[in-house]
Amino acid sequence: MNKNPFILIPLSLLRGMIYEKEAINDMYDIGIFCTSRKIDIIESNALKDFVYCIYRSIEELPDKLVQEYDKMDEFPYDEDYNGFENENFAPELEIEYLNDYSKENPSFYDQVLEWYRVRQVFYMLNLKTNTVKYTLNTVEKYKMRYDLGKCSFVLLNGEVMSNLYKLKDTMTADDRAMWAMYMGILSIIGDKDFAQTTSEMIKCRMFGAINQKELELLLKDETLKRVYDKYTTKRQYNKLLNIIQDRNMVTEIGLNRRTYVSTKMKNIDELVDAISAKRIDSERKRVRDEEKANARKKYYSLFQGNKKLKIG
């Protein structure tokens, strides 16, 4: 399993990041959860991990799973060996019982899988698993306000997210604004080498809006509006953009009233070459498509002419 993977941060979480440092806590927890839904797991190991925690670290289980376990009057608890056999953890009877229990209580199995998935992302990020249950608590609160199934995401390096979390108490609002802009740009680029955008779109994304229409709705919140007005003046916007460029986080250039951004290309020349190559490819495709359309038009014109000659 890859260590320190990229994690999925819901774009909407950028809304409060600048004026509320605790938003970074939620960003980490929700990002871990969203990532957990995309990874491949071996489902049979989920019940095994659940049994291990019952025997060795029940305090790591979410309250809902502990409550469910308390209902299992016939659970074959191994008081002598705690599921171990010759130093190998092989709780076969326990898993057999849980498989049967899951058939009658499918919601229990879903909860175990959800917990196990998050636990795996903790391993990937080199985090201690004793706080998994608190992450799931945060997720439950977030689900009441947002539909995680319809979110747009920022693809952020796991190590970067971990560092943000560690530094959150020492970061100023200006620092968080810089990171919000960076993550907004990441959401625009996605998995491409570079993206064409505008300064207005970057402003939308750094405040958690997918487009201008959504931003207008969000700015009805007076607190968010004050922060937006502060950091989107020409001076402040350029200051933040210069900082992330000076740190080699993003390469940016303005051409023909468009802004081009990249996180993969580390110098302007490389970005300009990529932009030029794409334009050449686009022009070739346009000419090729136009030639094909004209050829089809000519063919059908000749075909119709031949039909008329035969009829005559």
Side-chain angles (χ1 to χ4, degrees), residues 7 12 21 44-45 55-56 72 75 83 109-110 141 176-177 194 210 213 251 266 282-283 287 298 308:
I7 63 175
S12 56
K21 67 181 180 181
S44 58
N45 286 342
Y55 286 132
R56 294 297 174 91
M72 300 177 187
F75 182 82
Y109 188 66
D110 291 340
K141 294 175 184 176
R176 294 193 297 274
F194 70 91
I210 192 70
K213 183 177 180 180
T251 301
K266 298 304 180 182
S282 296
E283 179 62 19
V287 171
K298 180 179 180 180
K308 289 179 181 179

Side-chain angles (χ1 to χ4, degrees), residues 231-244:
Y231 287 103
T232 56
T233 63
K234 185 175 182 178
R235 177 178 173 276
Q236 283 286 358
Y237 174 85
N238 288 334
K239 178 182 177 181
L240 295 175
L241 190 57
N242 286 337
I243 290 172
I244 60 177

Side-chain angles (χ1 to χ4, degrees), residues 256-270:
N256 299 324
R257 296 184 180 181
R258 288 290 184 271
T259 296
Y260 293 86
V261 287
S262 176
T263 56
K264 294 181 180 179
M265 299 170 191
K266 298 304 180 182
N267 63 70
I268 293 294
D269 287 341
E270 187 180 0

Side-chain angles (χ1 to χ4, degrees), residues 62-285:
D63 292 341
K64 289 192 297 185
L65 288 181
V66 174
Q67 292 166 9
E68 198 71 38
Y69 167 65
D70 288 339
K71 298 176 185 177
M72 300 177 187
D73 297 330
E74 298 181 7
F75 182 82
Y77 194 93
D78 182 0
E79 295 183 1
D80 296 322
Y81 301 105
N82 292 168
F84 281 83
E85 181 179 334
N86 296 326
E87 298 185 357
N88 293 319
F89 187 60
E92 295 179 2
L93 291 177
E94 293 90 330
I95 290 177
E96 183 180 350
Y97 171 84
L98 290 174
N99 276 323
D100 291 338
Y101 185 87
S102 297
K103 291 175 183 177
E104 297 180 5
N105 302 274
S107 62
F108 161 74
Y109 188 66
D110 291 340
Q111 289 174 29
V112 171
L113 288 183
E114 182 177 82
W115 164 77
Y116 178 74
R117 284 181 173 277
V118 171
R119 191 173 166 88
Q120 295 310 294
V121 178
F122 266 61
Y123 286 131
M124 292 161 67
L125 294 169
N126 290 320
L127 300 174
K128 294 181 179 179
T129 56
N130 60 343
T131 60
V132 168
K133 63 181 181 181
Y134 302 118
T135 292
L136 289 171
N137 287 341
T138 300
V139 170
E140 288 304 311
K141 294 175 184 176
Y142 191 82
K143 283 180 178 179
M144 296 178 184
R145 292 181 292 158
Y146 300 99
D147 183 354
L148 292 176
K150 296 182 180 180
C151 282
S152 297
F153 293 101
V154 179
L155 195 63
L156 187 65
N157 182 278
E159 187 173 358
V160 172
M161 185 67 248
S162 294
N163 289 335
L164 277 178
Y165 177 78
K166 293 172 185 174
L167 295 172
K168 70 180 187 302
D169 292 329
T170 61
M171 291 170 65
T172 65
D174 287 358
D175 293 330
R176 294 193 297 274
M178 182 273 293
W179 281 103
M181 176 180 279
Y182 172 67
M183 286 189 270
I185 291 173
L186 286 181
S187 76
I188 294 170
I189 298 173
D191 60 359
K192 301 186 292 294
D193 289 337
F194 70 91
Q196 173 186 296
T197 186
T198 63
S199 60
E200 294 307 310
M201 179 55 70
I202 292 175
K203 293 171 185 177
C204 280
R205 295 298 180 89
M206 72 181 284
F207 283 91
I210 192 70
N211 52 36
Q212 194 67 36
K213 183 177 180 180
E214 184 179 17
L215 179 65
E216 290 172 3
L217 292 174
L218 293 176
L219 293 182
K220 292 180 179 180
D221 182 292
E222 293 182 1
T223 302
L224 189 64
K225 180 69 164 59
R226 285 196 298 271
V227 178
Y228 178 85
D229 289 343
K230 177 180 178 180
Y231 287 103
T232 56
T233 63
K234 185 175 182 178
R235 177 178 173 276
Q236 283 286 358
Y237 174 85
N238 288 334
K239 178 182 177 181
L240 295 175
L241 190 57
N242 286 337
I243 290 172
I244 60 177
Q245 290 182 89
D246 290 342
R247 295 185 183 183
N248 288 324
M249 298 163 70
V250 168
T251 301
E252 179 269 345
I253 189 170
L255 296 170
N256 299 324
R257 296 184 180 181
R258 288 290 184 271
T259 296
Y260 293 86
V261 287
S262 176
T263 56
K264 294 181 180 179
M265 299 170 191
K266 298 304 180 182
N267 63 70
I268 293 294
D269 287 341
E270 187 180 0
L271 177 56
V272 169
D273 287 345
I275 295 168
S276 299
K278 184 173 182 179
R279 285 184 176 175
I280 291 171
D281 287 344
S282 296
E283 179 62 19
R284 285 174 177 167
K285 182 178 184 303

